[in-house]
């Protein structure tokens, strides 16, 4: 009875797996071809900025601006003429996360992003990368201020104690040391700046604040103490300090008062007050730098670079006036596109490639009576002029918004469904799917928030960290596709919650989004600027796009050029004919056609062998072997020459070294008789079982060789059959 039940279960399982594989559609693999591209929208042109977040001047008094939208540094002369711009690494998820911009006395450009310090030449070439926790002689986290001196020497704050250290980012360098006052005591600093002659440390007042003052400590460039001056003339406590190449020192205080000091006596030369028109931003979030004896520069993300003096205030370099220059989320169909713009926080609607409307998200939330504010937004098209807006803040909110009628309503969902989750809307049956990052539960409900179901994803049980920031899609058969960015893998889960397929993605870049349309899975690589296309089983079809930035062209027509170049794209959406890309860093929507009349099928090879059998099959054609495959210490070995010829690989035999080599599609695998060390593209790999000779024939470990060449191997234990597919699944 148990045997019958087990047999029945195995039969049902086999039928289910075969049904699943059939449902995946045996789409032929397409050779890579030139795809047609076109784009919508534009961002800043020459003389404008996108989202300026940091500013400094170099030794020639040129102005350097870090543009958070374009992920670039622009260099301007003092008359606002753009000299050059070059791209840099800058994640767009949090523009204020430990980002600094400075120039050294030898005119190198230093960009600090979190725990990394990047050094560029004056023309924008990357010269050096340093991980800040590796500074020789310093133990502990580096604080929020790093200022270069010259020759790769820096002064920086200790995050733990707020004291100031001097060190080098070169590997073969002197040990970092702490800067101390005349008594050898450490200095609690709030900011640091460097001039051509000295290092200045701004110290906060301490003790009785009514009778104390901020101080400036001066050191020589080699770190020797020079003097200490109390700033008794100041009417407000400064929080930032900056030094101009001419030597003038500027101070900026949290209440927005600024002071320009004479460099030797530190007496006040000029003072004034900066009034921001943006009440939503704290003044100490704004970067500033000294500009002259009379003026300072303020970096305001929503206005541009402001020139501030005692009686003057003007915008030196404005931001682009467009409200649709930062598409971050996207959804659409063949003629309608909706986007969410990160900087302006607006929803835009395009019909037949024409912008029809842009509505602030806050206005839509007000219509729906939703107060859940967050920039973590997703969009899903519902019909021609309506969409669902998903907001993941302190709670999960879904708003249905009709753009034509300007009406909004809330999809009521249970409060137990967490906001930390991945969302997908399947339009074919108007069903939402929510995968919880907390416990791996997949919730589903209709567009009214009714008919709620719950499914435990077995492969994610007790592995909640795997799903963090994952992306999901659900096909019409109910199979769940999970993109796991951390592991560069896609998992396919059946309608019972069981894992049925898992495939790996190319190991370069960061994958941020996935979309399923018909039989094609499109996966966005945000750092490499590419979209990877594959079948539902992970068989690669082609990739499109390349990393490239459109930086301040002379006119908006410049955004129509460099098609296919992506700069930190935020999102993708697709149909069976087109893929829509939110090309965030390039301020545009890019659309790529999947139609290709000259696509040619790429042949796939299937090989079937059986342990102990001399009969093999290549694409269902029987072939007789001289010697059958066998197992050794749990590993399967197959005839060396047969497997190479079956895969159409180039075969090389070196009789002196007893080395067998395969070369296939740019990959090379070398194995040596009797040796447990093999080589894949000249990289050593340890084998469990070495290649060996049996009955005059050379045998090699089948799984290692075929997978190293890009094939996939499936072992069927009950029949002792080996299935090899190239290219691999």
């Amino acid at each position: 009875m148990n045997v019958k039940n087990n047999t029945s279960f195995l039969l049902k399982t086999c039928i289910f797996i075969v049904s699943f594989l059939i449902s995946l559609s045996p789409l032929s693999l397409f050779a890579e071809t030139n795809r047609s591209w076109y784009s919508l929208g534009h961002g800043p042109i020459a003389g404008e900025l996108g989202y300026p977040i940091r500013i400094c001047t170099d030794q020639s008094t040129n102005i350097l601006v870090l543009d958070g939208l374009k992920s670039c540094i622009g260099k301007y002369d003092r008359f606002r003429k753009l000299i050059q711009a070059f791209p840099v690494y800058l994640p767009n998820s949090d523009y204020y996360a430990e980002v600094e911009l400075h120039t050294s006395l030898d005119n190198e450009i230093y960009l600090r992003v979190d725990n990394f310090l990047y050094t560029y030449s004056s023309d924008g070439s990357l010269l050096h990368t340093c991980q800040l926790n590796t500074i020789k002689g310093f133990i502990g986290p580096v604080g929020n201020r790093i200022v270069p001196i010259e020759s790769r020497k820096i002064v920086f704050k200790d995050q733990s104690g707020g004291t100031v250290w001097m060190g080098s980012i070169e590997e073969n360098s002197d040990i970092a040391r702490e800067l101390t006052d005349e008594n050898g005591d450490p200095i609690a600093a709030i900011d640091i700046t460097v001039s051509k002659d000295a290092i200045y440390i701004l110290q906060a007042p301490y003790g009785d604040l009514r009778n104390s003052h901020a101080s400036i400590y001066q050191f020589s460039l080699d770190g020797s103490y020079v003097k200490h001056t109390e700033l008794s003339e100041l009417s407000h406590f400064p929080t930032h300090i900056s030094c101009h190449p001419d030597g003038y020192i500027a101070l900026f205080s949290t209440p927005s008062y600024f002071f320009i000091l004479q460099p030797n006596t530190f007496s006040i030369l000029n003072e004034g007050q900066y009034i921001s028109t943006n009440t939503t931003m704290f003044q100490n979030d704004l970067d500033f730098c000294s500009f002259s004896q009379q003026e300072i520069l303020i970096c305001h993300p929503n206005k541009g670079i402001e020139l501030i003096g005692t009686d003057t205030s003007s915008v030196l370099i404005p931001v682009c006036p467009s409200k649709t220059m930062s598409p971050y989320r996207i959804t659409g169909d063949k003629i309608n596109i909706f986007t969410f713009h990160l900087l302006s926080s607006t929803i835009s609607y395009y019909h037949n490639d024409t912008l029809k409307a842009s509505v602030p998200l806050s206005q839509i939330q007000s219509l729906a009576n939703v107060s859940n504010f967050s920039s973590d937004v997703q969009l899903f098209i519902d019909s021609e002029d309506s969409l669902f807006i998903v907001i993941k803040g302190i709670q999960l909110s879904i708003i249905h918004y009709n753009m034509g009628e300007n009406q909004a309503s809330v999809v009521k969902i249970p409060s137990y469904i967490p906001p930390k989750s991945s969302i997908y809307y399947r339009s074919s049956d108007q069903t939402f799917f929510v995968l919880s990052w907390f416990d791996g539960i997949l919730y589903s409900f209709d567009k009214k928030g009714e008919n709620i179901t719950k499914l435990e994803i077995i492969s994610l049980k007790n592995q909640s960290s795997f799903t963090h920031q994952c992306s999901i899609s659900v096909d019409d058969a109910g199979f769940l596709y999970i993109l796991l960015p951390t592991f560069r893998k896609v998992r396919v889960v059946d309608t019972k919650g069981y894992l049925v397929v898992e495939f790996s993605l190319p190991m370069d870049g960061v994958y941020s989004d996935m979309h399923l349309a018909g039989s094609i899975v499109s996966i966005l690589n945000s750092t490499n600027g590419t979209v990877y296309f594959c079948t539902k089983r992970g068989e690669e079809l082609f990739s499109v796009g390349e990393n490239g930035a459109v930086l301040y062209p002379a006119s908006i027509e410049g955004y129509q050029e460099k098609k296919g170049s992506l700069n930190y794209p935020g999102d993708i959406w697709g149909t069976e004919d087109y893929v829509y890309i939110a090309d965030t860093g390039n301020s545009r929507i890019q659309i790529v056609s999947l139609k290709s009349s000259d696509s040619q099928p790429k042949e796939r090879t299937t090989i079937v062998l059986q342990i102990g059998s001399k009969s093999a099959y290549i694409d269902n054609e029987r072939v007789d072997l001289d010697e059958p495959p066998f197992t050794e210490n749990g590993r399967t070995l197959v005839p060396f020459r047969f497997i190479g010829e079956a895969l159409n690989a180039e075969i090389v035999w070196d009789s002196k070294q007893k080395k067998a080599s395969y070369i296939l599609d740019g990959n090379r695998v070398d194995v040596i008789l009797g040796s447990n060390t093999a080589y894949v593209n000249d990289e050593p790999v340890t084998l469990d079982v070495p290649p060996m000779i049996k009955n005059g024939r050379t045998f090699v470990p089948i799984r290692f060789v075929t997978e190293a060449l890009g094939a996939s191997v499936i072992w069927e234990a009950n029949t002792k059959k080996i299935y090899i597919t190239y290219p691999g699944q």
Side-chain angles (χ1 to χ4, degrees):
M1 186 68 179
N2 289 336
V3 173
K4 279 188 177 182
N5 288 339
N6 289 337
T7 303
S8 175
F9 173 77
L10 288 172
L11 180 60
K12 289 179 180 178
T13 302
C14 290
I15 292 172
F16 173 78
I17 292 174
V18 170
S19 300
F20 168 71
L21 294 176
I22 291 173
S23 74
L24 295 181
S25 176
L27 186 67
S28 59
L29 300 176
F30 293 106
E32 187 170 349
T33 58
N34 292 325
R35 305 277 160 178
S36 60
W37 293 77
Y38 66 99
S39 64
L40 304 173
H42 70 88
I45 59 175
E48 298 177 338
L49 294 167
Y51 193 73
I53 57 174
R54 295 292 181 263
I55 188 173
C56 68
T57 56
D58 65 13
Q59 298 306 303
S60 302
T61 67
N62 295 313
I63 304 167
L64 283 81
V65 182
L66 178 62
D67 193 329
L69 170 65
K70 309 302 289 183
S71 295
C72 77
I73 294 174
K75 182 187 291 187
Y76 302 80
D77 65 19
R78 60 185 301 112
F79 305 106
R80 85 170 196 172
K81 180 182 178 182
L82 178 65
I83 300 173
Q84 70 171 129
F86 58 91
V88 296
Y89 173 72
L90 185 66
N92 58 16
S93 58
D94 188 353
Y95 292 128
Y96 288 103
E98 299 295 347
V99 176
E100 296 183 60
L101 178 66
H102 302 282
T103 59
S104 63
L105 299 179
D106 45 5
N107 265 338
E108 289 184 339
I109 302 167
Y110 286 70
L111 174 65
R112 186 256 182 95
V113 181
D114 296 325
N115 194 41
F116 288 88
L117 187 63
Y118 303 93
T119 306
Y120 297 87
S121 66
S122 59
D123 63 0
S125 301
L126 181 62
L127 301 176
H128 188 266
T129 301
C130 170
Q131 195 165 353
L132 293 175
N133 57 8
T134 62
I135 295 176
K136 188 176 180 181
F138 178 77
I139 300 175
V142 174
N144 61 351
R145 201 58 166 175
I146 297 173
V147 183
I149 307 173
E150 59 185 351
S151 303
R152 307 285 167 83
K153 290 183 179 179
I154 60 173
V155 284
F156 58 93
K157 282 176 60 176
D158 175 2
Q159 183 176 331
S160 302
T163 56
V164 180
W165 289 67
M166 174 185 286
S168 174
I169 59 174
E170 297 283 11
E171 292 183 4
N172 299 319
S173 61
D174 296 333
I175 295 176
R177 62 189 180 91
E178 192 174 27
L179 300 187
T180 57
D181 63 15
E182 67 272 28
N183 299 317
D185 296 325
I187 301 168
I190 53 175
D191 203 3
I192 312 166
T193 191
V194 172
S195 75
K196 60 183 179 181
D197 301 314
I199 300 168
Y200 299 104
I201 300 174
L202 178 64
Q203 185 188 49
Y206 56 90
D208 184 359
L209 296 182
R210 295 170 298 179
N211 300 309
S212 61
H213 306 279
S215 301
I216 290 181
Y217 285 82
Q218 183 177 337
F219 291 80
S220 64
L221 295 181
D222 64 3
S224 302
Y225 173 81
V226 176
K227 68 176 181 178
H228 161 230
T229 304
E230 270 198 0
L231 303 175
S232 56
E233 295 182 61
L234 268 59
S235 55
H236 292 84
F237 295 136
T239 55
H240 300 307
I241 186 171
S242 173
C243 191
H244 190 266
D246 291 339
Y248 299 109
I249 298 171
L251 303 173
F252 192 70
S253 68
T254 300
S256 306
Y257 289 89
F258 67 89
F259 307 89
I260 299 176
L261 309 181
Q262 197 275 342
N264 295 318
T265 64
F266 300 126
S267 59
I268 299 174
L269 292 175
N270 196 4
E271 61 182 303
Q273 185 178 12
Y274 169 69
I275 305 298
S276 172
T277 57
N278 189 332
T279 58
T280 63
M281 181 172 294
F282 295 106
Q283 299 300 339
N284 57 351
D285 284 338
L286 303 179
D287 200 15
F288 98 110
C289 70
S290 174
F291 191 58
S292 72
Q293 182 179 340
Q294 302 292 327
E295 300 154 321
I296 64 172
L297 295 175
I298 300 286
C299 183
H300 199 303
N302 297 325
K303 294 168 66 177
I305 304 304
E306 296 182 89
L307 182 65
I308 307 297
T310 304
D311 302 314
T312 62
S313 175
S314 63
V315 177
L316 188 67
I317 310 172
V319 297
C320 175
S322 171
K323 297 295 184 183
T324 60
M325 65 175 177
S326 58
Y328 188 57
R329 294 288 183 254
I330 193 166
T331 186
D333 56 22
K334 293 182 179 180
I335 58 174
N336 303 287
I337 301 174
F338 296 93
T339 56
F340 169 68
H341 293 264
L342 189 63
L343 300 184
S344 59
S345 192
T346 57
I347 304 293
S348 296
Y349 169 49
Y350 295 81
H351 180 75
N352 285 329
D353 301 340
T354 301
L355 179 63
K356 293 294 185 181
S358 288
V359 182
L361 178 58
S362 58
Q363 178 180 318
I364 298 172
Q365 290 179 279
S366 178
L367 287 172
N369 196 25
V370 171
S371 58
N372 186 24
F373 294 99
S374 172
S375 61
D376 193 352
V377 173
Q378 281 183 266
L379 307 180
F380 298 99
I381 189 169
D382 182 43
S383 60
E384 179 177 329
D385 58 356
S386 65
L387 76 160
F388 291 100
I389 304 169
V390 178
I391 304 172
K392 294 187 284 186
I394 57 174
Q395 61 186 27
L396 181 63
S397 301
I398 302 178
I399 301 172
H400 184 260
Y401 179 61
N402 187 297
M403 187 75 76
E405 299 177 1
N406 193 32
Q407 293 181 347
S409 59
V410 177
V411 177
K412 295 182 179 180
I413 56 176
S415 58
Y416 59 78
I417 298 181
K420 296 295 184 182
S421 56
S422 300
I423 320 292
Y424 183 74
Y425 176 67
R426 189 171 61 190
S427 59
S428 59
D429 60 354
Q430 301 179 331
T431 301
F432 279 97
F433 298 88
V434 181
L435 178 62
S436 167
W437 296 348
F438 174 70
D439 52 14
I441 299 294
L442 180 69
Y443 300 91
S444 67
F445 46 86
D446 61 27
K447 62 187 295 184
K448 295 181 180 179
E450 301 173 351
N451 301 316
I452 299 171
T453 64
K454 186 170 73 170
L455 176 67
E456 183 180 41
I457 308 302
I458 307 301
S459 64
L460 297 179
K461 190 175 182 180
N462 300 322
Q463 297 182 0
S464 58
S465 60
F466 282 21
T467 59
H468 184 64
Q469 298 296 342
C470 71
S471 178
I472 65 170
S473 290
V474 182
D475 67 13
D476 289 339
F479 289 94
L480 170 67
Y481 294 76
I482 309 171
L483 169 65
L484 301 172
T486 304
F487 301 94
R488 296 184 177 91
K489 290 184 177 182
V490 174
R491 289 183 175 180
V492 185
V493 177
D494 66 16
T495 56
K496 302 295 183 182
Y498 290 95
L499 178 68
V500 291
V501 171
E502 180 181 275
F503 56 86
S504 299
L505 302 170
M507 294 297 290
D508 54 344
V510 177
Y511 296 92
S512 57
D513 193 29
M514 172 183 66
H515 186 70
L516 176 64
S519 302
I520 298 178
V521 181
S522 52
I523 304 172
L524 179 64
N525 189 319
S526 57
T527 53
N528 276 0
T530 57
V531 182
Y532 175 85
F533 294 88
C534 62
T535 67
K536 291 182 177 181
R537 286 184 292 186
E539 299 161 322
E540 182 178 1
L541 299 175
F542 53 86
S543 295
V544 300
E546 62 182 2
N547 196 19
V550 179
L551 301 180
Y552 317 117
S555 65
I556 60 175
E557 284 72 24
Y559 283 92
Q560 301 301 318
E561 302 171 2
K562 294 186 71 172
K563 294 176 182 177
S565 295
L566 302 172
N567 187 22
Y568 293 103
D571 196 18
I572 58 171
W573 189 264
T575 67
E576 293 189 12
D577 297 327
Y578 298 97
V579 169
Y580 307 97
I581 307 168
D583 189 4
T584 311
N586 281 332
S587 309
R588 61 186 178 179
I589 301 165
Q590 291 214 67
I591 302 162
V592 58
S593 173
L594 300 183
K595 299 176 181 178
S596 183
S597 58
D598 58 346
S599 295
Q600 298 296 324
K602 184 178 178 181
E603 292 184 1
R604 241 175 66 197
T605 301
T606 302
I607 306 167
V608 182
L609 302 111
Q610 189 171 22
I611 299 297
S613 173
K614 291 186 177 182
S615 295
Y617 295 86
I618 303 175
D619 294 334
N620 296 321
E621 294 290 332
R622 178 175 170 172
V623 178
D624 291 326
L625 306 175
D626 293 334
E627 292 292 330
F630 66 93
T631 58
E632 181 78 15
N633 294 332
R635 299 300 179 191
T636 301
L637 289 91
V638 297
F640 152 72
R641 185 165 295 277
F642 163 77
I643 199 65
E645 291 175 347
L647 292 173
N648 292 316
E650 180 184 348
I651 302 171
V652 180
W653 169 251
D654 187 334
S655 57
K656 291 184 179 180
Q657 299 186 55
K658 296 183 179 180
K659 181 173 72 173
S661 303
Y662 300 102
I663 303 171
L664 179 62
D665 289 345
N667 291 317
R668 181 185 179 105
V669 177
D670 302 297
V671 293
I672 302 170
L673 282 177
S675 173
N676 287 86
T677 301
Y679 297 86
V680 179
N681 298 323
D682 295 326
E683 294 293 328
V685 178
T686 301
L687 303 177
D688 294 331
V689 176
M692 61 185 68
I693 292 179
K694 183 177 181 181
N695 296 332
R697 300 296 182 196
T698 301
F699 284 77
V700 295
I702 181 60
R703 183 175 292 276
F704 162 72
V705 168
T706 52
E707 290 186 346
L709 290 171
S712 61
V713 181
I714 296 176
W715 164 251
E716 195 174 78
N718 59 335
T719 62
K720 296 185 178 180
K721 286 184 177 180
I722 308 122
Y723 296 86
I724 302 165
T725 304
Y726 182 82
Q729 299 174 7

